[in-house]
Every structure is written in structure tokens, then in C-alpha cells.
Amino acid sequence: MYLSSVEKNRNKAIVKYAGVVCSGLMLTASFPNLGSPLIAWFALVPLMAALRNCSLLDSLRWGYLFGITHFITLIYWIIPCLKTYGMIPLYLSLIVLILFAAYLALFIAGFAAAVNWVCKDAKLLIFIAPAFWVAIEYARAHLFTGFPWELLGYSQFRVLPLIQVADALGVYGVSFLVVMGNISVFLIYLSLSGRSWNGNRLEKKQIVISLSCFFIILTGVWGYGVWRMGIIEKAVAVSPSKRISVIQGNISQQMKWDPAFQTTTIDRYIALSRKEAETDPHLIVWPETAMPFYFGYNLPLTNRVLRGIQPTQTDYIISSPGFDRKEDRVEYRNRAFILKAGQRNIADTYDKAHLVPFGEYVPLKKWLPFLGKLVAQVGDFSAGEKGANLKWGEHRIGMLICYELIFPYLSREATRNRADFLVNITNDAWYGRTSAPFQHFSMAVFRAVENRRALARAANTGISGFVDPTGKIMAASPIFEKAALTAEIPLMHVATLYSRFGDWFSLICVIIFLATVILRFFYKR
């Protein structure tokens, strides 16, 4: 029985749809909680197969399908975040997720269309596709305040020799390499199946050259990683260090802002801190807004905190909402305070610089007054100074509050301002028991490697822990449990290529993307 041409085309379309959806799901599976880094090295192959010999419009469609599949399954945690803690109905939460994923998918669609349109010769894919991918990741990280959540390179956060190159190229360099790996697998697929790319068949010589380029670069990156880890470990061994404790109070979001539980929250953090103070730490760190009141303004609760921590005779970083009075207005802040042992005065403060849209402020509020905020307990936040550090005696601490951790430029600016180590405080209770806390923590590894600074992290419900300057996770707490961890962390002063020059590599990829698209446009004309 022979199938008609219509039936054959329908079957081919079904196979393509299934392959592209599978491709998006595989990419998600390379991130926590599944978190298998190996999957990332071939997750893009079905997408590339769908782009083979198709029109520009079809390449947009396949890229968009891949993107929306990936992002819906990656950031599904938006639904419980909005429904449970934002009190937004389920159907509206689902609409928000779909709309946000639809926006993010536009970047993947742009990648797919550009690769299909520019690369008429498959031998160019090994360099053009990785450069284009990095360009669209860079765009996603910066447009409309940016959302660089789980860029492709983050999938490799546990493969330490591979990610050491981030101290020169940032996470984008790892993304570039992983896409090269995908293209190598795709070229092997084309060769073994005898298929063409945009009507052009690959010669064996071209495949050998492309694969050789990839393996030479991979070997070089791996060798650099092994060598660099040895250098940094020796530097850590001779560096001064401080003993830091992080406290995880595990306060549920439902009770966090309830006035009836304010003293309970304070007492829990004091009790955990007093017990951990027996390890004689130099600094104890509490999570983001661990104090659910205006510290320094609400005097009874402020005094309760100060009386509770003074017997420990150590320094503290605590956090609460704050505000500054201006002549004609009050500016609210998401603020961290540093308190010196035995002193009642605040030694220094840090205000969150990169705020969460629709969580801590409403973008375009003048034109969109109907849009509300998730954080209803305080007024609109105002941003602090980017790259500002907390002064701790003769030391400087690079502070990152909540999702400031996912923006590489903030930790880089803090390092350039002579931060000795990084501290991330966060309240991941919003995410519930989803993959989000694990995804969030995975990005902390790269901030440590990029700047060669140890990182301490205190999270209300987890994950709290420590990352050393090579990206090794020294300790990590479980989620939704009370915990207190202490570690000896080095105070480093290494100036990496990345901390000096930032995203120079990704900017080169952006230039390549724009130049090749423009040249292709004029060539086509």
C-alpha cells in the first residue's frame, strides 16, 4: 500500500513537530531539577534537523515552537509563584506564563531564522550557529531589563574543568561551546544519513575539518580548565580567609508578612544564629528581608533583634525593607544592613540595584496604572547604586540581593570595586517546591568562577550554601528546612579577564550576527 504525497508530507510534518517539541524538552532536562548536563550537548539536534531545507517562515515557526516548549517547561514555576503567593487566579497565572514564554521564544525563533537564512553552506554552521546563539542570549539578557535565566552555559555548572573558561568569556563562552557540540552531532547525522543542508551536501573533508575544530577547541578549554583550577587552588591556599555563617530560617511566605508572626520570625533567626555562633564565625548572614518590618524605624522590633544578637559577639548582615525620605517623596528600598559586634549603630547599607519588574516596581506605571505588584506589603521600590559594596571593616563585600545573582554585570562591577568575596541573600519561598530554587543556585557557581571570588548564599527556604572561586560547591542546604551552615572562605583579589572587560566575547558574537545578516541581505538583493 503506497502513501499519497499529501499523506507523506503530513507524516513528515508530524515527525518534525514531535522532534522540535522533544528538542525543547531535552534542553529543559539539561537544567535542574533533572539537571543532566550531557543532554545539553545534543538537545538542539532535532531543531537543526527541522531547519534543514525549509523556508524562512518555516524556520521561524520551528524555532518558535522549540522556544515556547522549552520556556514553558523551564519557568513553569511562575504559576505556583503567582497563584499561591501573588493571589492571582490559576487561569491568569497560566496566561502570564504563556505570554512570558511566548516573548522569550521570539529569541529562539530569531536564532533559527538567522541560521537558516545566512548559513547556506553547512560547513559554516560550526562557527556561525554558536555565535548566533550567544548573540540571542545576550539580547535576552539585556532587552527590557533582561531575563538571563538559565542560559545554555548554566547547564554545565557541575562540570568544573569546562566552566573555568568563564573567567575570560563569561557564561556565554560555555554556551558557545555547547552549541558547537550540538552542531558537531548534527553534522555527523547529516553525513551518516546522506542528507543535505539547504540543498548542499557535505563532503567528508568538510565534516572532518568541522569536527576537528570543535575537538581542538574543546580540548583546549578542558586543558585550560584543569590548569586554571590548579592555579586558583594554590592561590586560595595562601589567601587570608574569614569564617562565614549563613542562616536559613525557613519562614513560609504566607506567614512572613503577618504581623502576628513577626516576633516568631525574629526569635527563630536569633536562636539559629546563637547556636551557630558556637563555631566562632566572623560574620553571620541572614536572608533577604529576613526581618519583615522596617529595621531602624520600628524600634520595638529593632531592639528585639539587637538584644538577641549582641550576646553572640560577631558581625551580622541582615535585611529588611528600608526607605529614604526625600523633600517631596519617600523612596522605598530592598536593603541589606551590616551590624558590627557589640554596636547598635548600622555600619553600612546596600540597596538592591536591579529590581524585579512587577514584583518590586511597575514598569511604565504612568501608562499602565492598572498593573499591580506581587509585593503588596510595601510601596514601589527604588533602585540602589549598581556595583556598590558593603563595607565590612577593611574588607568589601559584593552584595547581590535575590535575582541580582543572575546578572553577571552586577557581580563584575562589585569585583571591580574591590569586593573580597560575594554574598547573595534571597527569599526563594516564592517558588515553592519547584525547580526554581535549584536553577537559581546553579547560576551562583558562574558568578564565583567569572570573578574568582568565593560566594556565600543565605536563602530563606533554601538553597543556602557556599561556592569557592573554582566553582566548587562547598556546602548546600536542603530546601524548606531550617539550617545553619559555616565555612571558611578565601578573600581573593585576582582580577580576571572577565571582571576587567566584561562581555567582550558575547559582543563580538553580536557583531558577527549583525554583520552576517546585513551582508546576506545585500547579497540577496
Side-chain angles (χ1 to χ4, degrees), residues 71 75 77-78 95-105 147:
F71 286 115
I75 58 173
W77 41 261
I78 285 179
I95 290 173
V96 171
L97 171 62
I98 293 172
L99 289 176
F100 193 31
Y103 160 71
L104 296 174
F147 188 70

Side-chain angles (χ1 to χ4, degrees), residues 202-442:
L202 267 176
E203 298 178 3
K204 289 185 178 180
K205 180 181 177 181
Q206 294 173 331
I207 293 177
V208 170
I209 292 173
S210 295
L211 295 183
S212 297
C213 289
F214 167 65
F215 283 112
I216 289 171
I217 293 173
L218 178 63
T219 302
V221 168
W222 194 276
Y224 171 82
V226 172
W227 170 77
R228 193 69 171 135
M229 286 177 69
I231 296 293
I232 297 301
E233 286 168 355
K234 289 179 181 178
V236 167
V238 298
S239 295
S241 63
K242 291 290 185 180
R243 193 176 302 107
I244 311 296
S245 296
V246 293
I247 308 299
Q248 182 172 303
N250 191 32
I251 306 296
S252 72
Q253 196 63 26
Q254 288 92 336
M255 64 180 283
K256 182 177 177 68
W257 296 101
D258 188 336
F261 293 100
Q262 285 178 322
T263 57
T264 302
T265 298
I266 292 170
D267 292 345
R268 179 177 297 185
Y269 276 104
I270 289 172
L272 287 168
S273 298
R274 285 184 172 181
K275 183 176 181 181
E276 199 64 17
E278 296 173 4
T279 64
D280 196 25
H282 299 103
L283 178 69
I284 294 177
V285 183
W286 290 0
E288 177 191 17
T289 58
M291 298 296 92
F293 60 91
Y294 290 96
F295 185 81
Y297 179 78
N298 186 322
L299 294 182
L301 294 179
T302 298
N303 289 331
R304 190 181 187 94
V305 172
L306 294 175
R307 286 194 303 269
I309 66 176
Q310 279 179 346
T312 62
Q313 289 299 303
T314 189
D315 299 340
Y316 280 79
I317 291 177
I318 69 171
S319 177
S320 82
F323 63 89
D324 296 322
R325 295 186 185 275
K326 304 294 182 179
E327 291 183 1
D328 57 343
R329 67 189 185 279
V330 174
E331 292 183 348
Y332 294 94
R333 311 284 188 175
N334 189 340
R335 180 166 287 171
F337 307 81
I338 193 158
L339 305 174
K340 299 290 289 182
Q343 299 180 13
R344 297 180 65 85
N345 294 329
I346 296 168
D348 199 14
T349 63
Y350 169 82
D351 295 328
K352 187 176 181 181
H354 199 122
L355 303 176
V356 181
F358 304 108
E360 292 168 319
Y361 77 104
V362 180
L364 306 176
K365 185 178 181 180
K366 182 178 179 180
W367 295 275
L368 304 173
F370 58 89
L371 293 175
K373 306 180 306 301
L374 292 181
V375 181
Q377 289 78 13
V378 294
D380 285 330
F381 283 106
S382 297
E385 179 186 352
K386 292 179 173 61
N389 292 331
L390 266 180
K391 297 179 182 66
W392 180 37
E394 61 182 8
H395 303 294
R396 292 176 179 265
I397 302 171
M399 285 299 303
L400 303 164
I401 296 181
C402 191
Y403 100 140
E404 286 187 324
L405 177 73
I406 76 174
F407 294 94
Y409 81 94
L410 289 171
S411 55
R412 185 175 76 86
E413 285 299 318
T415 302
R416 286 167 58 87
N417 287 335
R418 298 180 291 122
D420 299 292
F421 62 99
L422 303 174
V423 170
N424 175 223
I425 58 175
T426 187
N427 176 25
D428 285 358
W430 294 100
Y431 302 133
R433 294 184 180 274
T434 66
S435 298
F438 301 92
Q439 294 173 4
H440 200 185
F441 186 73
S442 70

